[in-house]
């Protein structure tokens, strides 16, 4: 039923095997030693308030009620639950609408956001975010592609793989377009906090939380850098959250130790966010300089973003990735994001580490 996800098959084990990881986009922090379970940075944080559960901490960050939050085992789990709830629709036993469900997904885009709804039985349609427009989200393109059969429209903000960040006004218009057709808008916001914050919280990027018929997903992985904890969430109206919760009964996956670690991280989110934004600023500068100094590369480095989608003048994405891998440098080929001519370059690790990796990657490109 569920198709293979080629990107996840390909990336498995590679970040750990690479000497220089320029493929992983999360702002990765130090991991526990072989016999430990607590990330070193969390071990130094104060204990959270006793009554501060994860739902409440996330709700406070977005200025919503806890009933609007469902805590999940990471953003992938949150996206699965959101898509399943949207495809299922309001009434599980309502047989009045016999049309096959459809899901409309941005292109280029992140492969799992196509494969998951397909595995859930939906027909997939696509709308373009063209490179000639800077991969901008255009609600008019959604309006031209959405039909009455569409149950969910799926976008990322920041866009994965380009890094384009959409303002709330544009997302609100996309939400209206989806709502007019009776569809939900799913906004994966794992990269939205990259760059300058709209507010003081850890998740202060432009958010779609609170817009009609809109579901937002996020996690502790990309911006705060605690991927090993495997805690994420979705935020939506309370009725949608309850539908997603009913789906979650079939795929429960959150451990109590993960919840405890998430409570500690979220209780110090402002402090952790400051550290993440400092790394984003430094690494974005490295990326922008590297791309600007190379005549053989094309592609934009978006403000405040540590990753981008680039093309080489004489090699496609697989050729660039394979040549880099021969030097133990991890680069992600663009075929996993609907464009085989390009590759995604991501500077998520500590600045000194990625600077060394860029120097080696530069010699790889010189030989192509």
């Amino acid at each position: 039923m569920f198709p293979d996800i080629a990107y996840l098959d390909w990336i498995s084990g590679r970040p750990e095997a690479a000497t220089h990881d320029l493929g992983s986009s999360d702002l990765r922090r130090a991991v526990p030693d072989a016999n430990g379970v607590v990330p070193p940075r969390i071990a130094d944080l104060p204990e959270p308030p006793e009554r501060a559960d994860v739902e409440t901490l996330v709700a406070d960050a977005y200025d919503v009620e806890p009933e609007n939050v469902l805590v999940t085992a990471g953003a992938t789990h949150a996206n699965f639950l959101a898509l399943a709830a949207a495809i299922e629709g309001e009434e599980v036993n309502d047989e009045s609408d016999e049309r096959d469900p459809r899901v409309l997904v941005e292109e280029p885009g992140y492969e799992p956001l196509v494969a998951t709804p397909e595995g859930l039985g939906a027909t997939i349609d696509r709308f373009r975010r063209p490179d000639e427009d800077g991969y901008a989200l255009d609600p008019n393109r959604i309006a031209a592609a959405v039909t009455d059969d569409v149950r969910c429209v799926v976008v990322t903000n920041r866009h994965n793989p380009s890094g384009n960040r959409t303002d709330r006004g544009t997302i609100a218009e996309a939400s209206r377009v989806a709502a007019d057709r009776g569809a939900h808008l799913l906004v994966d916001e794992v990269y939205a906090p990259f760059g300058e914050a709209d507010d003081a919280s850890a998740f202060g990027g432009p958010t779609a939380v609170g817009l009609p018929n809109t579901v937002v997903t996020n996690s502790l992985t990309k911006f705060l850098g605690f991927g090993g904890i495997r805690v994420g969430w979705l935020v939506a109206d309370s009725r949608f959250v309850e539908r997603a919760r009913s789906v979650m009964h079939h795929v429960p996956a959150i451990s109590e130790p993960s919840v405890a670690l998430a409570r500690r991280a979220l209780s110090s989110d402002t402090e952790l966010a400051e550290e993440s934004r400092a790394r984003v600023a430094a690494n974005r500068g490295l990326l922008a300089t590297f791309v600007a100094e190379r005549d053989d590369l094309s592609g934009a480095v978006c403000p405040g973003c540590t990753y981008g989608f680039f093309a080489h003048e004489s090699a496609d994405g697989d050729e660039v990735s394979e040549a880099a891998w021969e030097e133990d440098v991890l680069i992600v080929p663009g075929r996993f994001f609907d464009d085989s001519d390009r590759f995604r370059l991501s500077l998520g690790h500590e600045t000194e580490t990625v600077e060394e990796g860029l120097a080696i990657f530069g010699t790889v490109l010189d030989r192509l």
Side-chain angles (χ1 to χ4, degrees):
M1 181 177 181
F2 284 93
D4 289 338
I5 301 178
Y7 170 65
L8 297 183
D9 289 339
W10 181 89
I11 197 70
S12 178
R14 287 177 183 260
E16 296 77 17
T19 303
H20 302 285
D21 180 4
L22 303 182
S24 299
S25 53
D26 52 308
L27 304 181
R28 193 162 300 188
R29 296 176 183 265
V31 299
D33 61 33
N35 297 316
V37 295
V38 180
R41 185 64 182 90
I42 287 183
D44 297 333
L45 296 176
E47 289 292 332
E50 290 184 5
R51 297 183 180 274
D53 58 30
V54 176
E55 287 85 356
T56 299
L57 291 166
V58 173
D60 288 346
Y62 290 105
D63 195 23
V64 298
E65 298 299 320
E67 67 185 19
N68 299 121
V69 177
L70 179 62
V71 177
T72 66
T76 296
H77 190 210
N79 287 331
F80 178 94
L81 298 174
L83 286 161
I87 291 168
E88 178 184 90
E90 289 286 345
E91 299 294 339
V92 178
N93 298 318
D94 183 4
E95 298 179 359
S96 60
D97 188 349
E98 297 181 354
R99 293 173 297 184
D100 292 334
R102 309 185 79 91
V103 171
L104 180 63
V105 186
E106 64 188 9
E107 183 182 10
Y110 181 51
E111 184 188 6
L113 293 176
V114 176
T116 296
E118 183 180 356
L120 288 165
T123 298
I124 308 303
D125 299 321
R126 310 298 295 273
F127 73 93
R128 291 286 296 163
R129 296 182 66 160
D131 60 342
E132 57 266 27
D133 293 342
Y135 300 101
L137 179 65
D138 184 352
N140 291 324
R141 289 183 177 272
I142 297 176
V146 71
T147 66
D148 291 337
D149 302 342
V150 170
R151 304 282 178 85
C152 190
V153 179
V154 183
V155 301
T156 54
N157 192 32
R158 292 178 180 264
H159 178 230
N160 187 14
S162 75
N164 182 296
R165 190 159 80 164
T166 306
D167 62 79
R168 182 174 169 90
T170 302
I171 294 183
E173 179 61 18
S175 169
R176 185 196 63 76
V177 170
D180 284 349
R181 291 286 193 158
H184 278 85
L185 177 69
L186 171 58
V187 187
D188 182 327
E189 290 186 353
V190 294
Y191 298 111
F194 282 44
E196 294 184 4
D198 288 1
D199 58 49
S201 78
F203 308 102
T207 182
V209 166
L211 295 174
N213 276 43
T214 300
V215 187
V216 163
T217 58
N218 207 331
S219 77
L220 294 178
T221 299
K222 300 301 183 183
F223 183 61
L224 293 188
F226 297 117
I229 296 178
R230 293 293 180 195
V231 166
W233 51 86
L234 65 82
V235 185
D237 66 79
S238 59
R239 290 183 63 183
F240 189 94
V241 168
E242 285 308 307
R243 290 213 308 280
R245 193 185 308 278
S246 71
V247 177
M248 191 173 175
H249 292 324
H250 297 275
V251 283
I254 310 173
S255 70
E256 287 300 322
S258 289
V259 170
L261 294 173
R263 288 179 63 240
R264 186 176 290 191
L266 289 167
S267 295
S268 299
D269 62 352
T270 301
E271 176 185 345
L272 295 170
E274 289 176 356
E275 297 170 1
S276 292
R277 290 198 168 92
R279 189 190 299 184
V280 167
N283 288 7
R284 192 273 173 186
L286 283 178
L287 181 61
T289 299
F290 179 82
V291 174
E293 291 179 346
R294 297 208 62 94
D295 295 334
D296 53 356
L297 295 185
S298 60
V301 180
C302 295
C305 193
T306 57
Y307 65 88
F309 207 36
F310 306 105
H312 188 272
E313 64 180 7
S314 60
D316 65 22
D318 278 299
E319 290 167 334
V320 170
S321 176
E322 290 165 7
W325 190 246
E326 290 177 1
E327 300 298 329
D328 292 326
V329 178
L330 176 61
I331 303 292
V332 179
R335 61 186 164 94
F336 299 125
F337 302 94
D338 301 306
D339 191 340
S340 60
D341 289 335
R342 293 178 177 266
F343 60 91
R344 192 185 70 178
L345 178 60
S346 306
L347 307 189
H349 286 267
E350 295 286 350
T351 301
E352 182 178 346
T353 300
V354 297
E355 190 171 19
E356 295 171 358
L358 280 178
I360 296 173
F361 183 48
T363 64
V364 171
L365 295 178
D366 290 341
R367 295 196 298 268
L368 286 175

